[in-house]
């Protein structure tokens, strides 16, 4: 009887839109911090949420990257090569744009123990590169247990390529099932995100006051500016170079018929049917878009690259770490690669922030706090990120098709 009661309650809770639940968690966190600032159990909810994310994130990154490489398929058609190139180039370009804007308009965050960790941060490029190389070849078990994301990434690539060359289809399917199971675990954790966010907001407001929302507002403004710049400036520029025609009719069409839907669903996978219908409406080759659109939902991740880059540099600026041009470029590459492995769940790109933060010696404890901030602002960030990611799938699929038509004309 009790089990049925709790199952019914949880089912009804899960049916409520996640955005609404998170918004309610933020409001409750603020109210509790204002009226009951000493009520510690609320703050503990945030600590439990951060702990759960810290526990699952290394496993998720390892499994996703390894499975993606093990199950990767190579397409011979020239149009696929063009589309994949556009997907990857635009993602890297988005990361680079985010680096530039983050340096022009730096944002720092209020995190725990900033002073202690800033003092232990790498002092120069040589030390950073040394730490990077040492961490890469760390024992894979130790890397997973300590949250050494560079080591996790390195071994995931090696295992993925090794499995791809020798494994049977059954083994690859087993790996895919493990990846899907890991994503399901993340989904369950995110189901309880409203309670965790309530605890995080309670802790932030009770210790720093309402001024903390000015800080969050600046971060949201930077993220939104980067994503809008990518969608309305850099993406059209790439399309123009490829097609030699005005890109904005295509840009606006994709925004209206794909971007808006993706904004509210917050899922690139759920937006695939919408994108397929739009490709058909645009008169594109079904043999191409039937593969490129699902592929884009996996590797065309400009919005995720923006999120990972901006949030990582916010952590770096908070700790007072100097970043050279070389390290900025390496960050762009890592953010692009990490974005391509972003989980298909809402907020999946946030779990890859620790991977990028590890480039600068930022500890997993601090990186996960940045992830927590990401979930607080995720109501806006994740919606815009998905809209940019998903609508760009059609943009670049169409651009490759128009390029082929131009060459044949």
């Amino acid at each position: 009887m009790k089990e049925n009661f709790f199952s019914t309650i949880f089912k009804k809770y899960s049916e409520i839109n996640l955005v609404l639940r998170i918004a309610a968690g933020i409001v409750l966190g603020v109210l509790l911090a204002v009226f009951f600032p000493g009520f510690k159990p609320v703050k503990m909810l945030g600590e439990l949420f951060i702990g759960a994310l810290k526990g699952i994130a290394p496993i998720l990154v390892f499994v996703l990257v390894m499975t993606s490489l093990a199950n990767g398929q190579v397409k011979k058609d020239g149009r696929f090569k063009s589309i994949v190139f556009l997907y990857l180039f635009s993602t890297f370009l988005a990361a680079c744009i985010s680096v530039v804007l983050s340096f022009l308009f730096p944002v720092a965050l209020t995190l725990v123990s900033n002073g202690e960790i800033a003092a232990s941060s790498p002092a120069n490029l040589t030390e950073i590169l040394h730490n990077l190389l040492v961490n890469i070849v760390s024992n894979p078990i130790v890397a997973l247990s300590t949250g050494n994301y560079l080591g996790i990434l390195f071994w995931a690539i090696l295992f993925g390529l090794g499995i791809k060359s020798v494994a049977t289809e059954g083994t690859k399917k087993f790996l895919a099932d493990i990846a899907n199971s890991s994503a399901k675990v993340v989904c369950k954790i995110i189901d309880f995100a409203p309670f965790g966010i309530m605890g995080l907001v309670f802790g932030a407001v009770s210790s720093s006051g309402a001024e903390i929302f000015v800080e969050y507002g600046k971060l949201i403004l930077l993220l939104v500016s980067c994503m809008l710049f990518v969608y309305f400036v850099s993406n059209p520029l790439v399309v123009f170079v490829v097609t030699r025609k005005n890109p904005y009719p295509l840009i606006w069409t994709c925004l209206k018929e794909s971007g808006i839907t993706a904004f509210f669903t917050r899922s690139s996978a759920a937006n695939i049917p919408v994108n397929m219908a739009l490709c058909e409406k645009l008169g594109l080759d079904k043999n191409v878009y039937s593969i490129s659109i699902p592929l884009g939902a996996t590797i065309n991740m400009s919005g995720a690259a923006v999120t990972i880059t901006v949030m990582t540099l916010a952590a770096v600026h908070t700790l007072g770490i100097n970043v050279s041009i070389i390290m900025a470029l390496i960050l762009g590459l890592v953010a692009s690669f990490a974005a391509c492995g972003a989980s298909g769940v809402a907020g999946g790109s946030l779990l890859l922030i620790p991977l990028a933060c590890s480039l600068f010696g930022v500890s997993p404890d601090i990186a996960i706090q940045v992830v927590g901030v990401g979930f607080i602002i995720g109501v806006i960030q994740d919606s815009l990120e998905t809209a940019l990611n998903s609508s760009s799938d059609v943009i670049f699929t169409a651009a490759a098709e128009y390029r082929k038509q131009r060459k044949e004309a």
Side-chain angles (χ1 to χ4, degrees):
M1 188 76 175
K2 287 184 178 180
E3 183 179 347
N4 290 336
F5 173 76
F6 286 117
S7 297
T8 302
I9 293 296
F10 182 74
K11 183 178 179 182
K12 289 185 178 297
Y13 165 80
S14 299
E15 288 173 352
I16 301 172
N17 185 279
L18 181 61
V19 174
L20 295 178
R21 283 184 277 156
I22 290 176
I26 293 173
V27 172
L28 284 173
V30 172
L31 292 176
L32 288 171
V34 171
F35 294 105
F36 306 100
F39 193 53
K40 300 299 182 183
V42 179
K43 186 178 180 180
M44 188 174 68
L45 292 174
E47 294 171 354
L48 292 173
F49 179 60
I50 290 295
L53 292 177
K54 185 179 176 182
I56 192 61
I59 299 172
L60 183 69
V61 171
F62 181 79
V63 172
L64 284 177
V65 173
M66 179 177 62
T67 304
S68 176
L69 290 171
N71 289 286
Q73 299 293 328
V74 178
K75 301 296 180 183
K76 302 297 184 182
D77 191 300
R79 285 173 293 180
F80 287 111
K81 291 181 181 178
S82 297
I83 292 169
V84 170
F85 173 78
L86 290 172
Y87 283 168
L88 299 179
F89 177 75
S90 63
T91 299
F92 175 66
L93 186 58
C96 292
I97 289 168
S98 301
V99 168
V100 173
L101 291 180
S102 292
F103 276 102
L104 290 175
F105 308 100
V107 173
L109 303 173
T110 300
L111 303 174
V112 176
S113 302
N114 284 352
E116 295 177 12
I117 297 187
S120 63
S121 300
N124 52 54
L125 177 60
T126 302
E127 187 179 347
I128 290 173
L129 290 176
H130 175 267
N131 292 339
L132 184 151
L133 294 174
V134 170
N135 287 333
I136 280 177
V137 295
S138 172
N139 182 294
I141 304 300
V142 174
L144 282 168
S145 63
T146 60
N148 172 11
Y149 286 89
L150 293 176
I152 291 169
L153 182 61
F154 175 73
W155 291 111
I157 291 172
L158 289 188
F159 276 106
L161 293 175
I163 292 170
K164 179 180 176 63
S165 63
V166 300
T168 63
E169 289 302 316
T171 303
K172 293 178 181 179
K173 184 180 183 304
F174 173 74
L175 284 177
D177 289 340
I178 294 295
N180 291 334
S181 299
S182 301
K184 287 288 185 183
V185 173
V186 175
C187 286
K188 291 299 181 184
I189 293 173
I190 292 178
D191 253 340
F192 291 97
F195 296 100
I197 288 171
M198 179 177 68
L200 292 173
V201 170
F202 174 87
V205 174
S206 59
S207 61
S208 302
E211 293 81 9
I212 195 72
F213 289 104
V214 175
E215 184 178 287
Y216 293 161
K218 291 178 181 178
L219 184 59
I220 291 173
L221 182 60
L222 179 58
L223 282 165
V224 171
S225 299
C226 289
M227 292 186 192
L228 291 179
F229 188 92
V230 169
Y231 191 84
F232 289 108
V233 179
S234 70
N235 279 1
L237 183 60
V238 171
V239 173
F240 173 75
V241 170
V242 170
T243 64
R244 296 293 193 274
K245 58 191 294 188
N246 181 6
Y248 284 99
L250 175 64
I251 295 294
W252 284 111
T253 299
C254 291
L255 177 63
K256 289 185 294 182
E257 302 199 24
S258 173
I260 292 175
T261 306
F263 180 89
F264 289 105
T265 61
R266 302 171 74 221
S267 170
S268 294
N271 210 48
I272 287 176
V274 175
N275 283 346
M276 300 277 268
L278 177 55
C279 286
E280 183 179 3
K281 183 177 178 179
L282 293 171
L284 305 182
D285 186 346
K286 187 174 182 178
N287 292 324
V288 175
Y289 72 71
S290 62
I291 299 174
S292 69
I293 294 302
L295 179 66
T298 305
I299 68 169
N300 184 30
M301 292 290 179
S302 298
V306 169
T307 297
I308 294 168
T309 304
V310 169
M311 299 297 286
T312 298
L313 287 177
V316 168
H317 290 142
T318 299
L319 301 177
I321 299 172
N322 293 322
V323 181
S324 67
I325 295 176
I326 294 175
M327 287 306 297
L329 288 174
I330 293 175
L331 172 60
L333 288 170
V334 170
S336 302
F337 186 82
C340 292
S343 173
V345 300
S349 61
L350 297 174
L351 298 180
L352 295 165
I353 290 170
L355 170 60
C357 283
S358 65
L359 279 172
F360 305 97
V362 178
S363 75
D365 289 335
I366 289 296
I368 289 295
Q369 288 185 54
V370 177
V371 174
V373 173
F375 274 101
I376 292 174
I377 65 172
V379 173
I380 297 174
Q381 166 268 324
D382 197 43
S383 296
L384 278 173
E385 177 185 309
T386 307
L388 174 57
N389 289 342
S390 191
S391 58
S392 297
D393 296 346
V394 181
I395 290 172
F396 295 124
T397 295
E401 188 78 13
Y402 296 159
R403 176 177 180 270
K404 180 175 181 290
Q405 294 173 3
R406 179 175 62 85
K407 286 191 171 185
E408 292 176 349

